[in-house]
Amino acid sequence: MPLIKESTYKRAPRYQFNGHLQTVLPAILRRVQTTYERERLTLSDGDFVDLDWVDNRSRNLVLLSHGLEGNSERHYMMGMANRFSEEGWDVLAWNCRSCSGEMNRKFRLYNHGEIGDIGEVIGHALQTKDYEKVLLVGFSMGGSILMKYLGVHGKAVPEAVIGGVAFSSPCDLKASVDALELPGNGFYKRRFFKSLSRKVTDKAADFPGRLDISKLDEVGHWRDFDEHYSAPLGGYEDAADFYRQASAKNFMGGTDRPILLVNAGNDPILPPACSPAELCKDHPKLFLERPGSGGHVGFTLPGKPYAWSEYRAIQFLQDHLN
């Protein structure tokens, strides 16, 4: 307890016949529209993050955290926003530093292990409106962030925060980085590298002498990128320190609030180490669900207006958090 032995997600559409298609096609083909109201939040260090709200005049709030190089307009973010809006909840989809279309001011970027910003966003939301319930929902990196946040702060988490739901989250960051090097995963590696390299180049120009941009040409493995760029930008000693501090499985056991982690068995970039079954089976607050298919943040349902993940988050809320 609580390992969920049989997932309610049975299969993707037939044309999505493997984990790669179940990952890529929803991102390309799915069309979701959400109307947000944007607010810029100045953080305690003088930097900023942009917050996208849906105000349904509710006392309940779902706070959505996106994945690596994602933002509030990703299909999975807007789909979840619409599903919770349908239930009458307010929505806050926050964009990590540098992810809202404008580069952040400070040297550091965001990363899987940085939980100060989400803490400030939660605090701001509770000051903005005295919410009775706040549910954290995250995707990929965003799920790792919320799980570490809940694990590190334990009983000190604001009372209104009732729990978290994480989809396709790399709880073991080193294992996920290793998976990016496997044959067939070059597409994901190149996509992340291209986007993050642009930001590294901008940071090197804005903060001369702090990054050796020439090493970008030497990066062959993702660990090299983390060693030369992710670690210094995040304030870590090196890649190994980054992986240790950014792996949610090292912290999520400290949670005082229920967490549902859903990782598909055929996720191309999440090996079994990212689904810590031994930890979850002996923990009363950690629920692990491993559907056989779904890809990475896919979970398409044939003929349905929402992804299965969007129904699943509501079901977990109704079953365990009310």
Side-chain angles (χ1 to χ4, degrees), residues 65-186:
S65 301
H66 60 75
L68 184 68
E69 284 301 273
N71 55 51
S72 62
E73 296 185 350
R74 289 291 196 262
H75 71 93
Y76 54 81
M77 294 281 280
M78 293 190 293
M80 193 67 74
N82 290 345
R83 183 68 188 89
F84 272 85
S85 288
E86 192 174 75
E87 295 293 319
W89 284 52
D90 282 6
V91 178
L92 173 50
W94 73 289
N95 299 273
C96 293
R97 302 185 192 215
S98 80
C99 291
S100 59
E102 183 178 337
M103 183 58 69
N104 64 307
R105 302 179 187 123
K106 297 294 184 177
F107 176 68
R108 77 176 181 85
L109 294 174
Y110 65 93
N111 65 76
H112 293 70
E114 205 294 309
I115 60 173
D117 289 357
I118 193 174
E120 291 198 46
V121 171
I122 292 169
H124 174 72
L126 292 174
Q127 290 177 352
T128 300
K129 189 186 289 190
D130 186 21
Y131 286 108
E132 293 179 352
K133 295 180 181 179
V134 177
L135 175 65
L136 310 181
V137 177
F139 306 89
S140 194
M141 178 195 71
S144 291
I145 289 173
L146 78 83
M147 288 189 291
K148 181 179 176 182
Y149 168 81
L150 291 174
V152 167
H153 293 292
K155 294 181 182 296
V157 167
E159 184 177 354
V161 177
I162 57 175
V165 182
F167 294 100
S168 305
S169 293
C171 296
D172 186 321
L173 192 55
K174 182 182 181 300
S176 183
V177 166
D178 290 343
L180 281 175
E181 305 296 340
L182 295 175
N185 283 346

Side-chain angles (χ1 to χ4, degrees), residues 3-320:
L3 297 179
I4 298 172
K5 295 183 178 180
E6 186 172 353
S7 176
T8 59
Y9 188 66
K10 300 305 181 185
R11 66 173 182 86
R14 295 190 184 279
Y15 66 90
Q16 297 180 15
F17 52 81
N18 62 33
H20 294 294
L21 293 175
Q22 291 164 24
T23 300
V24 175
L25 290 184
I28 295 174
L29 301 178
R30 191 180 184 200
R31 298 289 180 263
V32 188
Q33 294 295 322
T34 300
T35 301
Y36 292 125
E37 295 180 11
R38 175 154 292 189
E39 176 189 11
R40 177 156 292 184
L41 173 65
T42 299
L43 300 167
S44 58
D45 67 352
D47 212 338
F48 70 90
V49 291
D50 286 328
L51 315 179
D52 288 327
W53 292 85
V54 180
D55 184 0
N56 291 309
R57 299 182 180 180
S58 176
R59 298 294 306 283
N60 300 327
L61 174 72
V62 61
L63 189 146
L64 306 180
S65 301
H66 60 75
L68 184 68
E69 284 301 273
N71 55 51
S72 62
E73 296 185 350
R74 289 291 196 262
H75 71 93
Y76 54 81
M77 294 281 280
M78 293 190 293
M80 193 67 74
N82 290 345
R83 183 68 188 89
F84 272 85
S85 288
E86 192 174 75
E87 295 293 319
W89 284 52
D90 282 6
V91 178
L92 173 50
W94 73 289
N95 299 273
C96 293
R97 302 185 192 215
S98 80
C99 291
S100 59
E102 183 178 337
M103 183 58 69
N104 64 307
R105 302 179 187 123
K106 297 294 184 177
F107 176 68
R108 77 176 181 85
L109 294 174
Y110 65 93
N111 65 76
H112 293 70
E114 205 294 309
I115 60 173
D117 289 357
I118 193 174
E120 291 198 46
V121 171
I122 292 169
H124 174 72
L126 292 174
Q127 290 177 352
T128 300
K129 189 186 289 190
D130 186 21
Y131 286 108
E132 293 179 352
K133 295 180 181 179
V134 177
L135 175 65
L136 310 181
V137 177
F139 306 89
S140 194
M141 178 195 71
S144 291
I145 289 173
L146 78 83
M147 288 189 291
K148 181 179 176 182
Y149 168 81
L150 291 174
V152 167
H153 293 292
K155 294 181 182 296
V157 167
E159 184 177 354
V161 177
I162 57 175
V165 182
F167 294 100
S168 305
S169 293
C171 296
D172 186 321
L173 192 55
K174 182 182 181 300
S176 183
V177 166
D178 290 343
L180 281 175
E181 305 296 340
L182 295 175
N185 283 346
F187 167 80
Y188 311 107
K189 179 180 172 182
R190 289 190 298 271
R191 179 176 176 273
F192 289 139
F193 181 72
K194 182 178 180 180
S195 181
L196 285 169
S197 293
R198 287 195 294 264
K199 292 184 177 181
V200 165
T201 303
D202 288 344
K203 287 299 180 187
D206 291 342
F207 297 89
R210 299 190 65 175
L211 293 171
D212 184 356
I213 203 67
S214 69
K215 292 187 180 296
L216 273 177
D217 295 331
E218 302 173 10
V219 170
H221 297 87
W222 196 260
R223 183 185 176 90
D224 299 332
F225 184 89
D226 288 336
E227 184 75 26
H228 296 310
Y229 302 110
S230 302
L233 282 166
Y236 302 102
E237 294 179 4
D238 52 24
D241 183 48
F242 172 41
Y243 298 154
R244 183 167 54 253
Q245 294 196 50
S247 293
K249 74 174 189 179
N250 295 333
F251 304 94
M252 56 197 285
T255 185
D256 183 58
R257 312 296 159 81
I259 296 173
L260 171 65
L261 169 61
V262 180
N263 285 345
N266 69 346
D267 190 315
I269 59 176
L270 297 187
C274 289
S275 300
E278 288 300 313
L279 171 62
C280 294
K281 76 175 184 179
D282 295 324
H283 198 297
K285 301 289 187 179
L286 297 177
F287 295 76
L288 175 62
E289 185 168 352
R290 294 204 70 200
S293 62
H296 190 76
V297 199
F299 303 111
T300 304
L301 279 176
K304 298 291 185 180
Y306 293 107
W308 171 83
S309 49
E310 291 143 20
Y311 293 109
R312 186 66 183 95
I314 295 292
Q315 190 64 54
F316 184 72
L317 169 70
Q318 294 171 343
D319 289 346
H320 299 283

